[in-house]
Amino acid sequence: MLNAYSFHNGEPIDGAVLVFAPSFKVAKKLAYPVVRDWSGCEYTEVRGYRIRHDEWLKANAADKLKLAARTPHVIESPPACKGCDLWHDELDSSGHCETCAEEREEEA
Ligand SMILES: [Zn+2]
């Protein structure tokens, strides 16, 4: 079983990669070259965490074949919210995260 992890170089707002891997260690090894590419940071500066509610990401962002074969992999550009450009969260049918969807409702 693969878990979902998010990795960045300290400021998640600057962008983060999504990694599917069996453990944090494996995930970080996969994430590092990608994070380094955009930030030039050191291995020790790469930060990450496990995404507990990963059902939506597994269904909508993961490489289905790799997920089924339990092959660890990186998703560099997961489906992001149209409002805030972040991808940490589930998106509704219009492509917005819960926070942005609520703001849109208030504006409407
Ligand atoms: Zn949003």
Side-chain angles (χ1 to χ4, degrees), residues 81-86 91 96-101:
C81 170
K82 284 181 192 159
C84 61
D85 262 355
L86 297 176
L91 304 178
H96 291 84
C97 71
E98 205 181 329
T99 310
C100 291

Side-chain angles (χ1 to χ4, degrees), residues 9-83:
N9 70 323
E11 296 294 338
I13 200 79
D14 292 342
V17 286
L18 171 62
V19 184
F20 291 98
S23 72
F24 187 88
K25 222 174 164 180
V26 173
K28 187 171 177 179
K29 273 189 188 140
L30 286 173
Y32 172 57
V34 182
V35 176
R36 185 190 52 200
D37 260 8
W38 91 63
S39 67
C41 71
E42 301 292 326
Y43 188 76
T44 50
E45 292 174 315
V46 177
R47 300 267 178 274
Y49 62 91
R50 179 171 165 195
I51 300 165
R52 297 280 160 193
H53 301 286
D54 58 6
E55 295 82 9
W56 190 88
L57 289 170
K58 280 179 176 166
N60 295 279
D63 181 317
K64 297 261 180 347
L65 293 175
K66 287 179 180 168
L67 191 65
R70 297 181 190 176
T71 306
H73 59 287
V74 179
I75 304 291
E76 288 190 40
S77 303
C81 170
K82 284 181 192 159

